[in-house]
Amino acid sequence: METNMNRRNFLKAAIASGAVIAAGGALAGCASNNTASSGTGTENVVGTAPVSFSDETDVLILGTGIAGMSAAMDPVEAGLKVMLVDKLERVGGESFIACGVMNVAGSKMQKDAGIPGDPEEKWQKFLPILEKKGETDDMDYKHDVYLCQTEWADRVAADYGAVFQPITDYMNTGAPTSMLLPGNGIGDMQAVLTPLQKGLEQKGATYKLNLRATNFIVDGEGAPIGVRFNDEKNGKTVDIKAKKIIVATGGFSCNQEMVATYLPSQSRLGPLTVNSMGEGHQMCKALGGVYTHMDMEANRMSDLAQVTVWGYFSPQVQVTPQGRRFIKEDQSHDSPDVAVKQGLGFWWTIFDNQAINSSQKWNVELNMKGNADRLVGPFNTLEELAAAMDVPASNLVETFARYDELVAAGEDADFGKKLFLQSLSAPYYAMKHFPYRYKTHGGMKITTNSQLADKDGNPIPNVYCCGSTVADSGSDLSPNAGSGLISGKAVVEALKA
């Protein structure tokens, strides 16, 4: 009873401030001198338009990235009316520009390629690592996400026509077979997300674009029954009614105020993406939701994110502005992390024709053409390469001599590189990187079925969260997809009950 009263008092304050909008009669005792009646029994903050629903749906999904679209799969397949809304004028959010590396175990694609792996067995090996890091409060939820990643990969391929790169392209090269890649390889997320987008439409889902979510709308009991949006094209208010709402609005890496508050050590690092503003976080908090793990370090990444992933699929050497090797090259987030910690400002990836002719040929050529201002080469000697990079030639020659010694020994005693510990040969190329802030990990506290929770862990009615809106959502796209499935399954179960 005390918990219910506390929540009721919280909502009164939220409604009075305009952070939450009331429809169909405000909470009892909520009226104040700074509210004005709409004439329909609704109490509204001065300057706030009265609620007027222009559309209605069973499931309203905020965000059309991989988490949002994955959340739509089960509801639309269950015959529910599903609407996906995005503030951008296109579908896909920032998932469309991601590298597309998806860590999955035991998918049909992997099994068909002869790669063994059972998701549950893999999880049991992964669990101690997570427990040691202390990255999650709800291992049951994390377990479900892990298993749903595999289910998601199988379903989007079989039921929606999503195209993944054949694992046979890279399975015998030394690259990790735990990774699924889209279509042409790194960076080709349209090959996966466009079929999913169109497939959802064919099954009955609808999309509304250029609508920025601003407030939850609640009924007289304080239960969310819809969302208020601002139409980014004409500035008009749009209210949409929904039985269940799924928040899949991404992280907060582009919100400088939130970053400065929760990640002050990264406040001077620019964001790689431009749309992750934490709006879903703020809306959920206004409703009584609770932030958790907000101080968990955000992923750092190169501004040429896809280039950092090449190390999983071909040999390369990464060096400082002085031409010294400083990192193992087979972990994409290590180089920007260490570059920041060492105050390097920038660093270089040096590669050769092995990358150009690798399983990721499409992406290598794409980045070489698209980032010509960052590319130097080809050069037939390290001295020529060093001159173009403006690094001391003696340092670069010494770095490669030491690297070749490690290759000959078969072990990277300096940094522990495991994948593609192979020598490079002329012609040499190099690309320049700058470190950026990438994916934040702090987010909303949820129940195991992804329902938004209050400070006492109690579920807040009708609202679910997935993807990077949730705390500790992983580092690649597959956990976002898996968490989306969990939310979608949960709302189906609730609506069909």
Side-chain angles (χ1 to χ4, degrees), residues 96-117:
F96 262 114
I97 62 173
C99 294
V101 173
M102 292 162 275
N103 288 288
V104 172
S107 69
K108 184 177 185 300
M109 288 168 281
Q110 289 161 316
K111 291 178 180 177
D112 288 348
I115 300 166

Side-chain angles (χ1 to χ4, degrees), residues 57-352:
T57 186
D58 294 323
V59 183
L60 178 62
I61 300 175
L62 310 184
T64 63
I66 194 170
M69 285 199 282
S70 299
M73 291 167 61
D74 277 279
V76 78
E77 290 171 19
L80 297 171
K81 185 177 181 180
V82 178
M83 183 183 298
L84 299 98
V85 183
D86 205 292
K87 65 185 177 183
L88 302 180
E89 59 182 358
R90 60 174 177 78
V91 172
E94 289 171 340
S95 299
F96 262 114
I97 62 173
C99 294
V101 173
M102 292 162 275
N103 288 288
V104 172
S107 69
K108 184 177 185 300
M109 288 168 281
Q110 289 161 316
K111 291 178 180 177
D112 288 348
I115 300 166
D118 176 77
E120 185 62 48
E121 291 178 2
K122 293 283 187 180
W123 165 254
Q124 293 303 325
K125 294 179 180 179
F126 187 40
L127 180 58
I129 299 174
L130 289 178
E131 291 175 331
K132 184 177 180 180
K133 291 182 177 180
E135 291 185 0
T136 184
D137 301 320
D138 189 342
M139 287 299 182
D140 290 336
Y141 175 74
K142 198 75 171 181
H143 167 266
D144 293 346
V145 169
Y146 192 86
L147 267 59
C148 279
Q149 294 173 184
T150 304
E151 177 187 342
W152 173 86
D154 288 340
R155 287 174 61 185
V156 294
D159 301 337
Y160 291 85
V163 179
F164 292 85
Q165 184 175 19
I167 300 176
T168 50
D169 286 358
Y170 54 87
M171 64 180 290
N172 295 317
T173 66
T177 54
S178 60
M179 293 180 176
L180 295 181
L181 296 174
N184 290 305
I186 298 169
D188 188 25
M189 280 308 296
Q190 290 193 23
V192 173
L193 295 183
T194 298
L196 178 56
Q197 170 194 342
K198 293 181 178 179
L200 290 170
E201 285 184 300
Q202 291 170 357
K203 294 175 187 290
T206 58
Y207 294 85
K208 287 185 177 293
L209 305 179
N210 295 301
L211 294 182
R212 183 182 299 272
T214 59
N215 309 83
F216 283 107
I217 302 170
V218 300
D219 64 13
E221 297 301 315
I225 57 170
V227 174
R228 169 159 289 183
F229 299 88
N230 181 67
D231 188 321
E232 300 291 272
K233 288 287 189 180
N234 56 34
K236 293 182 179 179
T237 294
V238 177
D239 295 332
I240 299 177
K241 190 174 184 180
K243 296 176 182 176
K244 300 295 178 183
I245 303 160
I246 299 176
V247 183
T249 50
F252 63 91
S253 65
C254 305
N255 186 317
Q256 190 63 29
E257 183 177 359
M258 292 181 72
V259 169
T261 300
Y262 300 105
L263 297 170
S265 65
Q266 295 191 356
S267 61
R268 293 187 178 275
L269 204 61
L272 179 61
T273 55
V274 297
N275 295 306
S276 297
M277 296 299 294
E279 293 146 312
H281 291 64
Q282 294 169 333
M283 285 177 58
C284 288
K285 187 178 182 182
L287 193 63
V290 179
Y291 291 163
T292 182
H293 291 303
M294 293 294 280
D295 60 350
M296 186 176 175
E297 284 280 289
N299 288 351
R300 297 181 183 91
M301 183 56 89
S302 159
D303 60 335
L304 302 183
Q306 296 172 8
V307 178
T308 64
V309 183
W310 293 355
Y312 292 121
F313 300 95
S314 60
Q316 56 180 254
V317 174
Q318 296 187 23
V319 301
T320 69
Q322 292 76 40
R324 301 290 190 185
R325 186 168 178 245
F326 72 107
I327 194 67
K328 60 180 180 181
E329 295 87 358
D330 56 4
Q331 296 293 323
S332 61
H333 295 289
D334 284 3
S335 40
D337 282 348
V338 175
V340 169
K341 289 175 183 177
Q342 294 185 3
L344 298 181
F346 66 90
W347 76 99
W348 293 91
T349 288
I350 300 173
F351 60 100
D352 64 6

